[in-house]
Amino acid sequence: MLSKLLVFIVLVLAVWYGFKVMGRIQKQRARAEMEKARNPARVSAEDMVQCKACGVYVPAVGAMKCGRPGCPQG
């Protein structure tokens, strides 16, 4: 009878500790998600120039031709 009670107590403590550990893991994940949302990845900016033929803004470096005659990009 006493051994069954001890086994039951050990099982209850193991389940309680498991839930405690899972709660900590969830808190860490939530904290990491909040930090990620608070500090999004920075996007680098590019200089843009206006195409004299069509008026569309294109990247200053590596722009492709717009297809119109007189397009200075390329």
Side-chain angles (χ1 to χ4, degrees):
M1 179 72 181
L2 184 61
S3 63
K4 288 183 181 180
L5 182 61
L6 287 174
V7 169
F8 177 73
I9 290 171
V10 167
L11 285 175
V12 168
L13 289 174
V15 169
W16 175 75
Y17 185 73
F19 277 113
K20 189 175 175 180
V21 169
M22 298 245 325
R24 285 182 189 164
I25 291 171
Q26 287 178 345
K27 283 182 184 179
Q28 287 176 347
R29 286 183 182 168
R31 198 175 302 135
E33 286 294 322
M34 290 294 289
E35 188 67 29
K36 188 176 180 182
R38 209 175 297 149
N39 297 325
R42 302 231 175 209
V43 178
S44 62
E46 283 187 54
D47 289 329
M48 305 289 281
V49 294
Q50 188 174 18
C51 176
K52 291 182 173 104
C54 63
V56 174
Y57 283 89
V58 294
V61 177
M64 299 182 69
K65 290 187 177 239
C66 66
R68 294 187 181 195
C71 179
Q73 306 303 326

Coordinates of all heavy atoms in Angstrom, one line a residue:
M1 N 0.8 -1.2 0.0 CA 0.0 0.0 0.0 C 0.9 1.3 0.0 O 0.6 2.2 -0.7 CB -0.9 0.0 1.2 CG -1.8 1.1 1.4 SD -3.1 1.1 0.1 CE -3.9 2.6 0.5
L2 N 1.9 1.3 0.8 CA 2.8 2.4 0.9 C 3.6 2.6 -0.4 O 3.8 3.8 -0.8 CB 3.7 2.3 2.1 CG 4.6 3.5 2.4 CD1 3.8 4.7 2.7 CD2 5.6 3.2 3.5
S3 N 4.0 1.5 -1.0 CA 4.7 1.6 -2.3 C 3.9 2.2 -3.4 O 4.3 3.0 -4.2 CB 5.3 0.3 -2.7 OG 4.2 -0.7 -2.9
K4 N 2.6 1.9 -3.4 CA 1.7 2.4 -4.4 C 1.5 3.9 -4.2 O 1.4 4.7 -5.2 CB 0.3 1.7 -4.4 CG 0.4 0.3 -4.9 CD -1.0 -0.3 -4.9 CE -1.0 -1.8 -5.4 NZ -2.3 -2.4 -5.4
L5 N 1.4 4.3 -3.0 CA 1.3 5.7 -2.7 C 2.5 6.5 -3.1 O 2.4 7.6 -3.7 CB 1.0 5.9 -1.2 CG 0.8 7.4 -0.7 CD1 -0.5 7.9 -1.4 CD2 0.6 7.4 0.8
L6 N 3.7 5.9 -2.9 CA 4.9 6.6 -3.2 C 5.0 6.7 -4.8 O 5.5 7.7 -5.3 CB 6.1 5.8 -2.7 CG 6.4 6.0 -1.2 CD1 7.5 5.1 -0.7 CD2 6.7 7.4 -0.8
V7 N 4.7 5.6 -5.5 CA 4.7 5.6 -6.9 C 3.7 6.7 -7.5 O 4.1 7.5 -8.4 CB 4.4 4.2 -7.5 CG1 4.1 4.3 -9.0 CG2 5.5 3.3 -7.2
F8 N 2.5 6.8 -6.9 CA 1.6 7.8 -7.3 C 2.1 9.2 -7.0 O 2.0 10.1 -7.9 CB 0.3 7.6 -6.5 CG -0.8 8.6 -6.8 CD1 -1.5 8.6 -8.0 CD2 -1.1 9.6 -5.9 CE1 -2.4 9.6 -8.3 CE2 -2.0 10.6 -6.1 CZ -2.7 10.6 -7.4
I9 N 2.7 9.4 -5.9 CA 3.3 10.8 -5.6 C 4.4 11.1 -6.6 O 4.5 12.2 -7.1 CB 3.8 10.8 -4.1 CG1 2.6 10.8 -3.2 CG2 4.6 12.1 -3.9 CD1 3.0 10.7 -1.7
V10 N 5.3 10.1 -6.9 CA 6.4 10.4 -7.9 C 5.8 10.7 -9.3 O 6.3 11.6 -9.9 CB 7.3 9.1 -7.9 CG1 8.2 9.2 -9.1 CG2 8.1 9.0 -6.6
L11 N 4.7 10.0 -9.7 CA 4.1 10.2 -11.0 C 3.5 11.6 -11.0 O 3.6 12.4 -12.0 CB 3.1 9.2 -11.3 CG 3.6 7.8 -11.7 CD1 2.5 6.8 -11.9 CD2 4.4 7.9 -13.0
V12 N 2.8 12.0 -9.9 CA 2.2 13.3 -9.9 C 3.3 14.4 -9.9 O 3.1 15.4 -10.7 CB 1.3 13.5 -8.6 CG1 0.9 14.9 -8.4 CG2 0.1 12.6 -8.7
L13 N 4.4 14.2 -9.2 CA 5.4 15.2 -9.3 C 6.1 15.3 -10.6 O 6.5 16.4 -11.1 CB 6.5 14.9 -8.2 CG 6.0 15.1 -6.7 CD1 7.1 14.6 -5.8 CD2 5.7 16.6 -6.5
A14 N 6.3 14.1 -11.3 CA 6.9 14.1 -12.6 C 6.0 14.9 -13.6 O 6.5 15.6 -14.4 CB 7.1 12.7 -13.1
V15 N 4.7 14.6 -13.5 CA 3.8 15.3 -14.5 C 3.8 16.8 -14.2 O 3.8 17.6 -15.1 CB 2.3 14.7 -14.3 CG1 1.3 15.6 -15.1 CG2 2.3 13.3 -14.9
W16 N 3.8 17.2 -12.9 CA 3.8 18.6 -12.5 C 5.1 19.3 -13.0 O 5.0 20.4 -13.6 CB 3.7 18.7 -11.0 CG 3.8 20.1 -10.5 CD1 2.9 21.1 -10.5 CD2 5.0 20.7 -9.9 NE1 3.4 22.3 -10.0 CE2 4.7 22.0 -9.6 CE3 6.2 20.2 -9.5 CZ2 5.6 22.9 -8.9 CZ3 7.1 21.0 -8.9 CH2 6.8 22.4 -8.6
Y17 N 6.2 18.6 -12.8 CA 7.5 19.2 -13.3 C 7.5 19.3 -14.8 O 8.0 20.2 -15.4 CB 8.6 18.3 -12.8 CG 10.0 18.9 -13.1 CD1 10.5 20.0 -12.4 CD2 10.8 18.3 -14.1 CE1 11.7 20.5 -12.7 CE2 12.0 18.8 -14.5 CZ 12.5 19.9 -13.8 OH 13.7 20.5 -14.1
G18 N 6.9 18.3 -15.5 CA 6.9 18.3 -17.0 C 6.1 19.5 -17.5 O 6.5 20.2 -18.4
F19 N 4.9 19.8 -16.8 CA 4.1 20.9 -17.2 C 4.9 22.2 -16.9 O 4.8 23.2 -17.7 CB 2.8 21.0 -16.5 CG 1.7 20.1 -17.2 CD1 1.3 18.9 -16.5 CD2 1.2 20.5 -18.4 CE1 0.3 18.2 -17.2 CE2 0.3 19.7 -19.0 CZ -0.2 18.5 -18.4
K20 N 5.6 22.2 -15.8 CA 6.4 23.4 -15.5 C 7.5 23.7 -16.5 O 7.7 24.8 -17.0 CB 7.1 23.2 -14.1 CG 7.7 24.4 -13.5 CD 8.2 24.0 -12.1 CE 9.0 25.2 -11.5 NZ 9.4 24.9 -10.1
V21 N 8.2 22.7 -17.0 CA 9.2 22.8 -18.0 C 8.6 23.2 -19.3 O 9.1 24.1 -20.0 CB 10.0 21.5 -18.2 CG1 10.9 21.5 -19.4 CG2 10.8 21.2 -16.9
M22 N 7.4 22.6 -19.7 CA 6.8 23.0 -20.9 C 6.3 24.5 -20.9 O 6.4 25.2 -21.9 CB 5.6 22.1 -21.2 CG 6.0 20.7 -21.3 SD 5.7 19.9 -22.9 CE 4.3 20.5 -23.6
G23 N 5.9 24.9 -19.7 CA 5.5 26.3 -19.6 C 6.7 27.3 -19.8 O 6.5 28.3 -20.4
R24 N 7.8 26.9 -19.3 CA 9.0 27.7 -19.5 C 9.4 27.8 -20.9 O 9.8 28.9 -21.4 CB 10.2 27.1 -18.7 CG 10.1 27.4 -17.2 CD 11.3 26.8 -16.5 NE 11.2 26.9 -15.1 CZ 11.9 26.2 -14.2 NH1 12.9 25.4 -14.7 NH2 11.7 26.3 -12.9
I25 N 9.3 26.7 -21.6 CA 9.7 26.6 -23.0 C 8.7 27.5 -23.8 O 9.1 28.3 -24.7 CB 9.6 25.2 -23.5 CG1 10.8 24.4 -22.9 CG2 9.7 25.1 -25.1 CD1 10.7 22.9 -23.2
Q26 N 7.4 27.5 -23.5 CA 6.5 28.3 -24.2 C 6.7 29.8 -23.9 O 6.6 30.6 -24.8 CB 5.0 27.9 -23.8 CG 4.6 26.6 -24.4 CD 3.2 26.2 -23.9 OE1 2.6 26.8 -23.0 NE2 2.6 25.3 -24.6
K27 N 7.1 30.1 -22.7 CA 7.4 31.5 -22.4 C 8.6 32.0 -23.2 O 8.6 33.1 -23.7 CB 7.6 31.7 -20.9 CG 6.4 31.7 -20.1 CD 6.7 31.9 -18.6 CE 5.4 31.9 -17.8 NZ 5.7 32.0 -16.3
Q28 N 9.6 31.1 -23.3 CA 10.8 31.5 -24.0 C 10.5 31.7 -25.5 O 11.0 32.7 -26.1 CB 11.9 30.5 -23.9 CG 12.5 30.4 -22.5 CD 13.5 29.3 -22.4 OE1 13.6 28.4 -23.2 NE2 14.3 29.3 -21.3
R29 N 9.7 30.8 -26.1 CA 9.3 31.0 -27.5 C 8.5 32.3 -27.7 O 8.7 33.0 -28.7 CB 8.5 29.8 -27.9 CG 9.3 28.5 -28.1 CD 8.5 27.4 -28.6 NE 9.3 26.2 -28.8 CZ 8.8 25.0 -29.0 NH1 7.5 24.8 -29.1 NH2 9.6 24.0 -29.1
A30 N 7.5 32.5 -26.8 CA 6.7 33.7 -26.9 C 7.6 35.0 -26.8 O 7.4 36.0 -27.5 CB 5.6 33.8 -25.8
R31 N 8.6 35.0 -25.8 CA 9.5 36.1 -25.7 C 10.3 36.3 -26.9 O 10.5 37.4 -27.4 CB 10.4 35.8 -24.5 CG 11.0 37.1 -23.9 CD 11.8 36.8 -22.7 NE 11.0 36.3 -21.6 CZ 11.3 35.2 -20.8 NH1 12.4 34.6 -21.0 NH2 10.4 34.8 -19.9
A32 N 10.8 35.2 -27.5 CA 11.6 35.3 -28.8 C 10.7 35.8 -29.9 O 11.2 36.7 -30.7 CB 12.1 33.9 -29.1
E33 N 9.5 35.4 -30.0 CA 8.6 36.0 -31.1 C 8.3 37.4 -30.8 O 8.3 38.2 -31.8 CB 7.3 35.2 -31.1 CG 7.4 33.8 -31.6 CD 7.7 33.8 -33.1 OE1 7.2 34.7 -33.9 OE2 8.5 32.9 -33.5
M34 N 8.1 37.9 -29.6 CA 7.9 39.3 -29.3 C 9.1 40.1 -29.7 O 9.0 41.2 -30.3 CB 7.5 39.5 -27.8 CG 6.2 39.0 -27.5 SD 4.8 39.8 -28.3 CE 4.9 41.4 -27.4
E35 N 10.3 39.6 -29.4 CA 11.6 40.3 -29.7 C 11.7 40.4 -31.2 O 12.1 41.4 -31.7 CB 12.7 39.5 -29.1 CG 14.0 40.3 -29.2 CD 14.1 41.6 -28.4 OE1 13.4 41.6 -27.3 OE2 14.8 42.5 -28.8
K36 N 11.4 39.3 -31.9 CA 11.5 39.3 -33.4 C 10.5 40.3 -34.0 O 10.8 41.0 -34.9 CB 11.2 37.9 -33.9 CG 11.4 37.7 -35.3 CD 11.2 36.2 -35.7 CE 11.4 36.0 -37.2 NZ 11.1 34.6 -37.5
A37 N 9.3 40.4 -33.4 CA 8.3 41.3 -33.9 C 8.7 42.8 -33.6 O 8.4 43.7 -34.4 CB 6.9 41.0 -33.3
R38 N 9.4 43.0 -32.5 CA 9.8 44.3 -32.1 C 11.0 44.8 -32.9 O 11.1 46.0 -33.2 CB 10.2 44.3 -30.6 CG 10.0 45.6 -29.9 CD 10.3 45.5 -28.4 NE 9.4 44.5 -27.8 CZ 9.7 43.8 -26.7 NH1 10.8 43.9 -26.2 NH2 8.8 43.0 -26.2
N39 N 11.8 43.9 -33.3 CA 13.0 44.3 -34.1 C 13.1 43.5 -35.4 O 13.8 42.5 -35.6 CB 14.3 44.0 -33.3 CG 14.4 44.7 -32.0 OD1 14.0 45.9 -32.0 ND2 14.9 44.1 -31.0
P40 N 12.3 43.9 -36.4 CA 12.3 43.2 -37.7 C 13.6 43.4 -38.4 O 14.4 44.3 -38.1 CB 11.1 43.9 -38.5 CG 11.0 45.2 -37.9 CD 11.4 45.1 -36.4
A41 N 13.9 42.5 -39.3 CA 15.1 42.5 -40.0 C 15.2 43.8 -40.8 O 14.2 44.2 -41.5 CB 15.2 41.3 -40.9
R42 N 16.3 44.5 -40.8 CA 16.4 45.7 -41.5 C 16.6 45.4 -43.0 O 17.4 44.5 -43.4 CB 17.6 46.5 -41.0 CG 17.5 46.7 -39.5 CD 17.7 48.2 -39.3 NE 17.5 48.4 -37.8 CZ 17.1 49.6 -37.4 NH1 16.9 50.5 -38.2 NH2 16.9 49.7 -36.1
V43 N 16.0 46.2 -43.8 CA 16.1 46.1 -45.3 C 17.0 47.3 -45.7 O 16.8 48.4 -45.4 CB 14.7 46.2 -45.9 CG1 14.8 46.2 -47.4 CG2 13.8 45.1 -45.4
S44 N 18.0 46.9 -46.5 CA 18.9 48.0 -47.0 C 18.2 48.8 -48.1 O 17.4 48.2 -48.9 CB 20.2 47.4 -47.5 OG 19.9 46.5 -48.6
A45 N 18.4 50.0 -48.2 CA 17.8 50.9 -49.2 C 18.7 51.0 -50.4 O 19.9 50.9 -50.3 CB 17.6 52.3 -48.6
E46 N 18.1 51.2 -51.5 CA 18.8 51.4 -52.8 C 18.6 52.8 -53.3 O 17.5 53.3 -53.2 CB 18.3 50.4 -53.8 CG 18.9 49.0 -53.7 CD 18.5 48.2 -54.9 OE1 18.8 48.6 -56.0 OE2 17.9 47.1 -54.7
D47 N 19.6 53.4 -54.0 CA 19.3 54.6 -54.7 C 18.6 54.4 -55.9 O 18.8 53.4 -56.6 CB 20.7 55.3 -55.0 CG 21.4 55.8 -53.8 OD1 20.7 56.2 -52.8 OD2 22.7 55.8 -53.8
M48 N 17.6 55.2 -56.2 CA 16.8 55.1 -57.4 C 17.0 56.3 -58.3 O 17.2 57.4 -57.8 CB 15.3 54.9 -57.0 CG 15.0 53.8 -56.0 SD 15.1 52.2 -56.7 CE 13.6 52.1 -57.6
V49 N 16.8 56.0 -59.6 CA 16.9 57.1 -60.6 C 15.7 57.0 -61.5 O 15.2 55.9 -61.7 CB 18.2 57.1 -61.4 CG1 19.4 57.3 -60.6 CG2 18.4 55.7 -62.1
Q50 N 15.3 58.1 -62.0 CA 14.1 58.1 -62.9 C 14.6 57.9 -64.3 O 15.5 58.6 -64.8 CB 13.3 59.4 -62.8 CG 12.0 59.4 -63.5 CD 11.2 60.7 -63.2 OE1 11.8 61.7 -62.8 NE2 9.9 60.6 -63.5
C51 N 13.9 57.0 -65.0 CA 14.2 56.8 -66.4 C 13.7 58.0 -67.2 O 12.6 58.4 -67.1 CB 13.5 55.5 -66.9 SG 13.7 55.2 -68.7
K52 N 14.6 58.5 -68.1 CA 14.2 59.7 -68.8 C 13.2 59.4 -70.0 O 12.5 60.2 -70.5 CB 15.5 60.3 -69.4 CG 16.3 61.0 -68.3 CD 17.5 61.6 -68.9 CE 18.2 62.4 -67.8 NZ 19.4 61.7 -67.3
A53 N 13.2 58.1 -70.4 CA 12.3 57.7 -71.5 C 10.8 57.5 -71.0 O 9.9 57.9 -71.6 CB 12.8 56.5 -72.2
C54 N 10.7 56.7 -69.8 CA 9.3 56.4 -69.4 C 8.9 57.0 -68.1 O 7.8 56.9 -67.7 CB 9.2 54.8 -69.3 SG 10.3 54.1 -68.1
G55 N 9.9 57.5 -67.3 CA 9.5 58.2 -66.0 C 9.5 57.2 -64.9 O 9.2 57.7 -63.7
V56 N 9.7 56.0 -65.1 CA 9.6 55.0 -64.0 C 11.0 55.0 -63.2 O 12.0 55.2 -63.8 CB 9.4 53.6 -64.5 CG1 9.5 52.5 -63.5 CG2 8.1 53.5 -65.2
Y57 N 10.9 54.9 -61.9 CA 12.1 54.9 -61.1 C 12.6 53.4 -61.0 O 11.9 52.5 -60.8 CB 11.8 55.3 -59.6 CG 11.6 56.8 -59.5 CD1 10.4 57.4 -59.7 CD2 12.7 57.6 -59.3 CE1 10.3 58.8 -59.7 CE2 12.6 59.0 -59.2 CZ 11.4 59.6 -59.4 OH 11.3 60.9 -59.4
V58 N 13.9 53.4 -61.3 CA 14.6 52.1 -61.4 C 15.9 52.2 -60.5 O 16.3 53.3 -60.2 CB 15.0 51.7 -62.8 CG1 13.8 51.5 -63.7 CG2 15.9 52.8 -63.4
P59 N 16.4 51.0 -60.0 CA 17.6 51.1 -59.2 C 18.8 51.7 -60.0 O 18.9 51.6 -61.2 CB 18.0 49.6 -59.0 CG 16.7 48.9 -59.2 CD 15.9 49.7 -60.2
A60 N 19.6 52.5 -59.3 CA 20.7 53.3 -59.9 C 21.7 52.3 -60.4 O 22.4 52.6 -61.4 CB 21.3 54.2 -58.9
V61 N 21.9 51.2 -59.7 CA 22.9 50.2 -60.1 C 22.2 48.9 -60.6 O 21.3 48.4 -59.9 CB 23.9 49.9 -59.0 CG1 24.9 48.8 -59.3 CG2 24.6 51.1 -58.5
G62 N 22.5 48.4 -61.7 CA 22.0 47.1 -62.2 C 20.6 47.2 -62.8 O 19.9 46.2 -62.9
A63 N 20.2 48.4 -63.2 CA 18.9 48.6 -63.8 C 18.9 48.0 -65.2 O 19.9 48.1 -65.9 CB 18.5 50.1 -63.9
M64 N 17.8 47.5 -65.7 CA 17.7 47.0 -67.0 C 16.9 47.9 -67.9 O 16.2 48.8 -67.4 CB 16.9 45.6 -67.0 CG 17.7 44.6 -66.1 SD 16.9 43.0 -66.1 CE 17.2 42.5 -67.8
K65 N 17.0 47.8 -69.2 CA 16.3 48.7 -70.1 C 14.8 48.5 -70.0 O 14.3 47.4 -69.8 CB 16.8 48.4 -71.6 CG 18.2 48.8 -71.8 CD 18.5 48.7 -73.3 CE 19.8 49.2 -73.6 NZ 19.9 50.2 -74.6
C66 N 14.1 49.6 -70.1 CA 12.6 49.5 -70.1 C 12.0 49.1 -71.4 O 10.8 48.7 -71.4 CB 12.0 50.8 -69.6 SG 12.3 52.2 -70.8
G67 N 12.8 49.1 -72.5 CA 12.3 48.7 -73.8 C 11.9 49.8 -74.7 O 11.6 49.6 -75.8
R68 N 11.9 51.0 -74.2 CA 11.5 52.2 -75.0 C 12.7 52.8 -75.6 O 13.8 52.7 -75.1 CB 10.8 53.2 -74.1 CG 9.5 52.7 -73.6 CD 8.8 53.8 -72.9 NE 7.5 53.3 -72.4 CZ 6.5 54.1 -72.0 NH1 6.7 55.4 -72.0 NH2 5.4 53.5 -71.5
P69 N 12.5 53.3 -76.8 CA 13.7 53.9 -77.5 C 14.2 55.1 -76.6 O 13.5 55.9 -76.0 CB 13.2 54.4 -78.8 CG 11.7 54.1 -78.8 CD 11.3 53.4 -77.6
G70 N 15.5 55.2 -76.5 CA 16.2 56.3 -75.8 C 16.3 56.0 -74.3 O 16.7 56.9 -73.5
C71 N 16.1 54.8 -73.9 CA 16.2 54.4 -72.5 C 17.7 54.4 -72.1 O 18.5 53.7 -72.8 CB 15.6 53.1 -72.2 SG 15.8 52.6 -70.5
P72 N 18.1 55.2 -71.1 CA 19.5 55.3 -70.8 C 20.0 54.1 -69.9 O 21.2 54.0 -69.7 CB 19.6 56.6 -70.0 CG 18.3 56.8 -69.4 CD 17.3 56.2 -70.4
Q73 N 19.1 53.3 -69.4 CA 19.5 52.2 -68.5 C 20.1 51.1 -69.4 O 19.9 50.9 -70.5 CB 18.3 51.7 -67.8 CG 17.5 52.7 -67.0 CD 18.4 53.5 -66.0 OE1 19.3 53.0 -65.4 NE2 18.1 54.8 -65.9
G74 N 20.9 50.3 -68.7 CA 21.4 49.1 -69.4 C 22.7 48.7 -68.9 O 23.4 47.9 -69.0

